[in-house]
Amino acid sequence: MGAPPGYRPSAWVHLLHQLPRADFQLRPVPSGFAPQEQEYQQALLLVAALAGLGLGLSLIFIAVYLIRFCCCRPPEAPGTKSPPPGGGCVTWSCIAALLVGCAGIGIGFYGNSETSDGVSQLSSALLHANHTLSAIDHLVLEMVERLGEAVRTELTTLEEVLTQRTELVAATRGARRQAEAVAQQLQGLAFWRDVPLSPLQVAEDVSFVEEYRWLAYILLLLLELLVCLFTLLGLAKQSKWLVVVMTVMSLLVLILSWGSMGLEAATAVGLSDFCSSPDTYVLNLTQEETGLGSDILSYYFLCNQAVSNPFQQRLTLSQRALANIHSQLQGLEREAVPQFPSAQKPLLSLEETMNVTEGNFHQLVALLHCRGLHKDYGAALRGLCEDALEGLLFLLLFSLLSAGALATALCSLPRAWALFPPSRNPSASCSGSPLSEPLLRARLEPASRRW
């Protein structure tokens, strides 16, 4: 099957599509996109479960590290004020991890924007396709109504005026039959009229889901950014309560990061399977949802020389019938108007109707050609399989950096706050600076000497 114009599966699509897949019994699963099959669903759930496994291992590692830190510290000698060795390294490792997390947040904002752009391109393509299909239905309805009105009024009036000339009446009845035949042929061109699937509704549903997805990621990114900034502030101010609160918040964001990573990984793998060969799945799904023939759907989804226009016969017959009506009206104008002046008005009205109908017919021929709808199909694939997939991969990188940075911070923060000097007075506690206590002691010494 031919690829839509401007769309080729990217290297990321090929790479993700080649990854092995297995169900819950660890049996191999084909990488073809089949979301309705249970084995394929289990394979995607297993990909998402890998993030859950990573979360469990991270929590176990953090718990073991902190238990070892709390329970296996050597006892300090009484009156020892020197900090334990490696304290500065612990603090700086925590700061470095938080800075890596901040860099990951920037990547996450970019990935969220790219994903949103791709989904917006998909929605725009669906809306444009809906506009094309609606225009086809509107043009067909307008032409059928015009021809029906011409048959009921002008042609009937001509028959009454030309009653005395049987050959002219026969020509008028021939034009009537031709107009009725054109109307019948045109009604078969509105192929999307009674279809239950609406591209407009699909675009609205996609935009609705994307709006909440985008908002959820924005909130997650802002939450992690606030956690990183306030943790850095707590380390700079040596505020124990702030560091403790941010430690709890870091644990929460760590869980959210691993959860988002599983969702992103499963979505990226499934999307790569779809994008590697989208035509077959889209054609089968559309045929199932709409009930349209495979010849019509293949013409618009493939749009190549191997697939002929399923409406070509109807268009050819309609064009010939319109040409015959024109020639018959011109003959009536030459023969009837000199003898029956009252026939001129309905003939002029008929010619105007036919001119408008022919103009609409040429528009209809252009809209029924596969180029327009196939271009929308290609734009939808590019938005979904290029921008949206690239954004998902950046979001996956953000989640990975975030999980690693927060796990490192959770291991380092308890050791860091253990190095904070104790607060002995309200002034030192409020200032949060270790220099406040020596300065206060220096001010109190001269006063005690005076006494």
Side-chain angles (χ1 to χ4, degrees):
M1 292 189 176
Y7 170 73
R8 293 290 183 275
S10 64
W12 286 113
V13 170
H14 288 298
L15 178 62
L16 293 173
H17 185 62
Q18 297 301 322
L19 293 178
R21 291 155 179 74
D23 58 11
F24 290 164
Q25 286 76 35
L26 300 181
R27 295 174 299 190
V29 175
S31 57
F33 188 67
Q36 71 280 0
E37 296 182 4
Q38 184 178 5
E39 292 79 6
Y40 188 79
Q41 296 173 3
Q42 292 180 359
L44 293 184
L45 288 175
L46 195 61
V47 172
L50 293 178
L53 178 63
L55 173 61
L57 293 176
S58 297
L59 294 178
I60 292 174
F61 174 77
I62 293 171
V64 170
Y65 181 87
L66 294 181
I67 290 174
R68 181 177 177 276
F69 167 71
C70 295
C71 301
C72 301
R73 284 188 301 176
E76 297 182 358
T80 303
K81 294 184 179 181
S82 61
C89 180
V90 169
T91 303
W92 281 109
S93 64
C94 182
I95 293 175
L98 293 174
L99 292 177
V100 170
C102 291
I105 292 171
I107 295 174
F109 274 110
Y110 176 76
N112 196 38
S113 177
E114 280 292 298
T115 304
S116 181
D117 290 343
V119 176
S120 298
Q121 189 173 350
L122 169 64
S123 300
S124 299
L126 288 171
L127 291 175
H128 193 270
N130 182 77
H131 176 74
T132 301
L133 295 172
S134 300
I136 292 173
D137 292 343
H138 176 73
L139 284 174
V140 169
L141 180 62
E142 182 180 353
M143 286 190 289
V144 170
E145 288 181 350
R146 282 182 178 275
L147 291 173
E149 183 68 20
V151 168
R152 289 190 301 269
T153 57
E154 286 88 359
L155 288 174
T156 303
T157 303
L158 272 179
E159 288 185 19
E160 296 173 354
V161 171
L162 304 176
T163 307
Q164 300 177 5
R165 296 281 302 272
T166 55
E167 71 277 10
L168 297 180
V169 172
T172 304
R173 289 177 179 174
R176 175 195 289 269
R177 288 192 298 270
Q178 294 285 347
E180 291 173 348
V182 171
Q184 185 178 2
Q185 294 291 338
L186 290 175
Q187 287 178 351
L189 299 177
F191 64 94
W192 203 268
R193 178 176 298 173
D194 299 324
V195 170
L197 180 64
S198 171
L200 175 62
Q201 185 62 44
V202 175
E204 290 177 351
D205 293 342
V206 168
S207 299
F208 178 79
V209 173
E210 170 58 20
E211 181 179 355
Y212 282 95
R213 185 213 64 81
W214 179 84
L215 181 61
Y217 268 98
I218 288 295
L219 293 178
L220 176 61
L221 290 165
L222 291 178
L223 176 62
E224 182 172 350
L225 180 61
L226 290 176
V227 168
C228 291
L229 293 180
F230 277 103
T231 304
L232 290 173
L233 179 63
L235 292 174
K237 293 291 187 178
Q238 296 188 346
S239 174
K240 281 190 175 182
W241 69 268
L242 184 57
V243 172
V244 169
V245 171
M246 289 302 106
T247 302
V248 177
M249 293 299 298
S250 297
L251 180 61
L252 173 63
V253 177
L254 176 67
I255 297 173
L256 293 177
S257 297
W258 278 106
S260 66
M261 188 188 305
L263 183 62
E264 292 149 8
T267 305
V269 170
L271 192 57
S272 69
D273 293 340
F274 168 78
C275 296
S276 63
S277 181
D279 294 337
T280 303
Y281 177 78
V282 174
L283 195 149
N284 293 335
L285 179 63
T286 308
Q287 186 174 8
E288 180 182 347
E289 294 292 333
T290 62
L292 294 174
S294 59
D295 55 341
I296 297 176
L297 297 177
S298 298
Y299 175 67
Y300 287 109
F301 282 122
L302 304 183
C303 193
N304 53 33
Q305 299 295 330
V307 183
S308 60
N309 188 346
F311 306 112
Q312 188 60 50
Q313 184 177 3
R314 288 181 179 272
L315 293 173
T316 302
L317 293 176
S318 299
Q319 189 173 13
R320 289 176 182 174
L322 289 174
N324 291 335
I325 294 173
H326 254 300
S327 63
Q328 289 171 349
L329 291 179
Q330 290 174 358
L332 286 173
E333 188 175 3
R334 287 193 306 268
E335 298 291 336
V337 172
Q339 298 181 19
F340 305 95
S342 59
Q344 184 175 11
K345 182 177 180 181
L347 281 172
L348 291 176
S349 178
L350 279 171
E351 288 181 356
E352 181 181 357
T353 299
M354 295 309 299
N355 289 332
V356 174
T357 302
E358 283 194 340
N360 291 339
F361 181 78
H362 291 307
Q363 280 188 315
L364 181 62
V365 171
L367 290 174
L368 284 173
H369 197 276
C370 64
R371 284 191 302 266
L373 289 174
H374 191 65
K375 185 178 179 181
D376 295 332
Y377 175 53
L381 286 182
R382 287 193 300 274
L384 192 62
C385 299
E386 293 178 4
D387 292 342
L389 181 59
E390 180 185 351
L392 273 176
L393 294 177
F394 276 107
L395 287 175
L396 186 62
L397 179 60
F398 148 71
S399 299
L400 185 62
L401 292 176
S402 173
L406 291 174
T408 304
L410 284 171
C411 291
S412 303
L413 283 175
R415 296 189 64 182
W417 84 53
L419 301 175
F420 293 171
S423 300
R424 297 182 180 179
N425 53 70
S427 174
S429 177
C430 294
S431 65
S433 172
L435 297 176
S436 57
E437 186 177 351
L439 290 175
L440 183 61
R441 189 183 302 112
R443 292 179 181 175
L444 291 178
E445 284 179 358
S448 60
R449 291 173 182 174
R450 292 193 192 104
W451 292 97

PDB file of all heavy atoms in Angstrom, residues 366-383:
ATOM      1  N   ALA A 366     -13.990  18.051  -8.506  1.00  0.00           N
ATOM      2  CA  ALA A 366     -12.719  18.334  -7.830  1.00  0.00           C
ATOM      3  C   ALA A 366     -12.722  17.817  -6.390  1.00  0.00           C
ATOM      4  O   ALA A 366     -11.718  17.272  -5.905  1.00  0.00           O
ATOM      5  CB  ALA A 366     -12.441  19.838  -7.853  1.00  0.00           C
ATOM      6  N   LEU A 367     -13.855  17.968  -5.692  1.00  0.00           N
ATOM      7  CA  LEU A 367     -13.925  17.501  -4.303  1.00  0.00           C
ATOM      8  C   LEU A 367     -13.926  15.986  -4.216  1.00  0.00           C
ATOM      9  O   LEU A 367     -13.396  15.416  -3.256  1.00  0.00           O
ATOM     10  CB  LEU A 367     -15.187  18.071  -3.630  1.00  0.00           C
ATOM     11  CG  LEU A 367     -15.187  19.569  -3.349  1.00  0.00           C
ATOM     12  CD1 LEU A 367     -16.548  20.009  -2.824  1.00  0.00           C
ATOM     13  CD2 LEU A 367     -14.105  19.939  -2.341  1.00  0.00           C
ATOM     14  N   LEU A 368     -14.532  15.325  -5.200  1.00  0.00           N
ATOM     15  CA  LEU A 368     -14.587  13.863  -5.173  1.00  0.00           C
ATOM     16  C   LEU A 368     -13.261  13.220  -5.545  1.00  0.00           C
ATOM     17  O   LEU A 368     -13.074  12.023  -5.288  1.00  0.00           O
ATOM     18  CB  LEU A 368     -15.678  13.362  -6.128  1.00  0.00           C
ATOM     19  CG  LEU A 368     -17.115  13.513  -5.635  1.00  0.00           C
ATOM     20  CD1 LEU A 368     -18.093  13.153  -6.726  1.00  0.00           C
ATOM     21  CD2 LEU A 368     -17.359  12.657  -4.398  1.00  0.00           C
ATOM     22  N   HIS A 369     -12.350  13.975  -6.117  1.00  0.00           N
ATOM     23  CA  HIS A 369     -11.039  13.406  -6.422  1.00  0.00           C
ATOM     24  C   HIS A 369     -10.318  13.082  -5.115  1.00  0.00           C
ATOM     25  O   HIS A 369     -10.475  13.767  -4.098  1.00  0.00           O
ATOM     26  CB  HIS A 369     -10.216  14.368  -7.264  1.00  0.00           C
ATOM     27  CG  HIS A 369      -9.059  13.723  -7.942  1.00  0.00           C
ATOM     28  ND1 HIS A 369      -7.852  13.521  -7.304  1.00  0.00           N
ATOM     29  CD2 HIS A 369      -8.911  13.198  -9.190  1.00  0.00           C
ATOM     30  CE1 HIS A 369      -7.013  12.925  -8.125  1.00  0.00           C
ATOM     31  NE2 HIS A 369      -7.625  12.711  -9.283  1.00  0.00           N
ATOM     32  N   CYS A 370      -9.493  12.040  -5.148  1.00  0.00           N
ATOM     33  CA  CYS A 370      -8.874  11.551  -3.916  1.00  0.00           C
ATOM     34  C   CYS A 370      -7.790  12.475  -3.374  1.00  0.00           C
ATOM     35  O   CYS A 370      -7.375  12.319  -2.220  1.00  0.00           O
ATOM     36  CB  CYS A 370      -8.291  10.161  -4.154  1.00  0.00           C
ATOM     37  SG  CYS A 370      -6.934  10.118  -5.359  1.00  0.00           S
ATOM     38  N   ARG A 371      -7.314  13.440  -4.156  1.00  0.00           N
ATOM     39  CA  ARG A 371      -6.176  14.257  -3.707  1.00  0.00           C
ATOM     40  C   ARG A 371      -6.457  14.982  -2.398  1.00  0.00           C
ATOM     41  O   ARG A 371      -5.616  14.992  -1.491  1.00  0.00           O
ATOM     42  CB  ARG A 371      -5.808  15.269  -4.796  1.00  0.00           C
ATOM     43  CG  ARG A 371      -5.058  14.704  -5.981  1.00  0.00           C
ATOM     44  CD  ARG A 371      -4.516  15.828  -6.841  1.00  0.00           C
ATOM     45  NE  ARG A 371      -5.588  16.705  -7.298  1.00  0.00           N
ATOM     46  CZ  ARG A 371      -6.208  16.587  -8.458  1.00  0.00           C
ATOM     47  NH1 ARG A 371      -5.871  15.607  -9.284  1.00  0.00           N
ATOM     48  NH2 ARG A 371      -7.159  17.424  -8.813  1.00  0.00           N
ATOM     49  N   GLY A 372      -7.640  15.618  -2.297  1.00  0.00           N
ATOM     50  CA  GLY A 372      -7.916  16.430  -1.119  1.00  0.00           C
ATOM     51  C   GLY A 372      -7.994  15.615   0.157  1.00  0.00           C
ATOM     52  O   GLY A 372      -7.298  15.901   1.144  1.00  0.00           O
ATOM     53  N   LEU A 373      -8.847  14.576   0.172  1.00  0.00           N
ATOM     54  CA  LEU A 373      -9.001  13.770   1.379  1.00  0.00           C
ATOM     55  C   LEU A 373      -7.729  12.979   1.686  1.00  0.00           C
ATOM     56  O   LEU A 373      -7.394  12.770   2.859  1.00  0.00           O
ATOM     57  CB  LEU A 373     -10.186  12.822   1.215  1.00  0.00           C
ATOM     58  CG  LEU A 373     -11.568  13.499   1.232  1.00  0.00           C
ATOM     59  CD1 LEU A 373     -12.657  12.494   0.920  1.00  0.00           C
ATOM     60  CD2 LEU A 373     -11.827  14.158   2.588  1.00  0.00           C
ATOM     61  N   HIS A 374      -7.009  12.539   0.659  1.00  0.00           N
ATOM     62  CA  HIS A 374      -5.764  11.812   0.902  1.00  0.00           C
ATOM     63  C   HIS A 374      -4.696  12.741   1.505  1.00  0.00           C
ATOM     64  O   HIS A 374      -3.886  12.314   2.336  1.00  0.00           O
ATOM     65  CB  HIS A 374      -5.254  11.215  -0.406  1.00  0.00           C
ATOM     66  CG  HIS A 374      -4.138  10.241  -0.209  1.00  0.00           C
ATOM     67  ND1 HIS A 374      -4.292   9.050   0.455  1.00  0.00           N
ATOM     68  CD2 HIS A 374      -2.839  10.288  -0.596  1.00  0.00           C
ATOM     69  CE1 HIS A 374      -3.147   8.397   0.473  1.00  0.00           C
ATOM     70  NE2 HIS A 374      -2.239   9.124  -0.154  1.00  0.00           N
ATOM     71  N   LYS A 375      -4.713  14.000   1.107  1.00  0.00           N
ATOM     72  CA  LYS A 375      -3.799  14.972   1.704  1.00  0.00           C
ATOM     73  C   LYS A 375      -4.110  15.177   3.186  1.00  0.00           C
ATOM     74  O   LYS A 375      -3.200  15.287   4.015  1.00  0.00           O
ATOM     75  CB  LYS A 375      -3.897  16.297   0.947  1.00  0.00           C
ATOM     76  CG  LYS A 375      -2.913  17.352   1.409  1.00  0.00           C
ATOM     77  CD  LYS A 375      -3.041  18.614   0.572  1.00  0.00           C
ATOM     78  CE  LYS A 375      -2.066  19.689   1.046  1.00  0.00           C
ATOM     79  NZ  LYS A 375      -2.203  20.929   0.245  1.00  0.00           N
ATOM     80  N   ASP A 376      -5.397  15.234   3.530  1.00  0.00           N
ATOM     81  CA  ASP A 376      -5.773  15.330   4.945  1.00  0.00           C
ATOM     82  C   ASP A 376      -5.330  14.095   5.715  1.00  0.00           C
ATOM     83  O   ASP A 376      -4.879  14.194   6.875  1.00  0.00           O
ATOM     84  CB  ASP A 376      -7.294  15.507   5.064  1.00  0.00           C
ATOM     85  CG  ASP A 376      -7.774  16.812   4.468  1.00  0.00           C
ATOM     86  OD1 ASP A 376      -6.993  17.775   4.452  1.00  0.00           O
ATOM     87  OD2 ASP A 376      -8.929  16.872   4.004  1.00  0.00           O
ATOM     88  N   TYR A 377      -5.468  12.939   5.094  1.00  0.00           N
ATOM     89  CA  TYR A 377      -5.020  11.690   5.736  1.00  0.00           C
ATOM     90  C   TYR A 377      -3.519  11.729   6.002  1.00  0.00           C
ATOM     91  O   TYR A 377      -3.049  11.344   7.093  1.00  0.00           O
ATOM     92  CB  TYR A 377      -5.401  10.523   4.827  1.00  0.00           C
ATOM     93  CG  TYR A 377      -4.905   9.174   5.284  1.00  0.00           C
ATOM     94  CD1 TYR A 377      -5.149   8.710   6.564  1.00  0.00           C
ATOM     95  CD2 TYR A 377      -4.196   8.357   4.411  1.00  0.00           C
ATOM     96  CE1 TYR A 377      -4.701   7.468   6.974  1.00  0.00           C
ATOM     97  CE2 TYR A 377      -3.742   7.107   4.808  1.00  0.00           C
ATOM     98  CZ  TYR A 377      -3.998   6.670   6.087  1.00  0.00           C
ATOM     99  OH  TYR A 377      -3.543   5.437   6.488  1.00  0.00           O
ATOM    100  N   GLY A 378      -2.744  12.207   5.020  1.00  0.00           N
ATOM    101  CA  GLY A 378      -1.299  12.319   5.218  1.00  0.00           C
ATOM    102  C   GLY A 378      -0.939  13.315   6.311  1.00  0.00           C
ATOM    103  O   GLY A 378      -0.034  13.078   7.111  1.00  0.00           O
ATOM    104  N   ALA A 379      -1.660  14.450   6.361  1.00  0.00           N
ATOM    105  CA  ALA A 379      -1.397  15.443   7.409  1.00  0.00           C
ATOM    106  C   ALA A 379      -1.703  14.879   8.791  1.00  0.00           C
ATOM    107  O   ALA A 379      -0.969  15.124   9.758  1.00  0.00           O
ATOM    108  CB  ALA A 379      -2.228  16.703   7.147  1.00  0.00           C
ATOM    109  N   ALA A 380      -2.774  14.100   8.897  1.00  0.00           N
ATOM    110  CA  ALA A 380      -3.111  13.486  10.188  1.00  0.00           C
ATOM    111  C   ALA A 380      -2.026  12.500  10.613  1.00  0.00           C
ATOM    112  O   ALA A 380      -1.629  12.465  11.795  1.00  0.00           O
ATOM    113  CB  ALA A 380      -4.463  12.789  10.085  1.00  0.00           C
ATOM    114  N   LEU A 381      -1.518  11.713   9.671  1.00  0.00           N
ATOM    115  CA  LEU A 381      -0.458  10.756  10.007  1.00  0.00           C
ATOM    116  C   LEU A 381       0.837  11.465  10.406  1.00  0.00           C
ATOM    117  O   LEU A 381       1.520  11.041  11.343  1.00  0.00           O
ATOM    118  CB  LEU A 381      -0.199   9.823   8.829  1.00  0.00           C
ATOM    119  CG  LEU A 381      -1.252   8.748   8.554  1.00  0.00           C
ATOM    120  CD1 LEU A 381      -0.830   7.881   7.388  1.00  0.00           C
ATOM    121  CD2 LEU A 381      -1.500   7.888   9.785  1.00  0.00           C
ATOM    122  N   ARG A 382       1.159  12.537   9.700  1.00  0.00           N
ATOM    123  CA  ARG A 382       2.382  13.267  10.065  1.00  0.00           C
ATOM    124  C   ARG A 382       2.258  13.876  11.461  1.00  0.00           C
ATOM    125  O   ARG A 382       3.218  13.853  12.241  1.00  0.00           O
ATOM    126  CB  ARG A 382       2.661  14.356   9.034  1.00  0.00           C
ATOM    127  CG  ARG A 382       3.173  13.836   7.708  1.00  0.00           C
ATOM    128  CD  ARG A 382       3.724  14.959   6.842  1.00  0.00           C
ATOM    129  NE  ARG A 382       2.696  15.963   6.547  1.00  0.00           N
ATOM    130  CZ  ARG A 382       1.838  15.880   5.549  1.00  0.00           C
ATOM    131  NH1 ARG A 382       1.866  14.838   4.739  1.00  0.00           N
ATOM    132  NH2 ARG A 382       0.952  16.836   5.344  1.00  0.00           N
ATOM    133  N   GLY A 383       1.116  14.421  11.779  1.00  0.00           N
ATOM    134  CA  GLY A 383       0.949  14.980  13.113  1.00  0.00           C
ATOM    135  C   GLY A 383       1.028  13.932  14.199  1.00  0.00           C
ATOM    136  O   GLY A 383       1.647  14.143  15.251  1.00  0.00           O
TER     137      GLY A 383
END
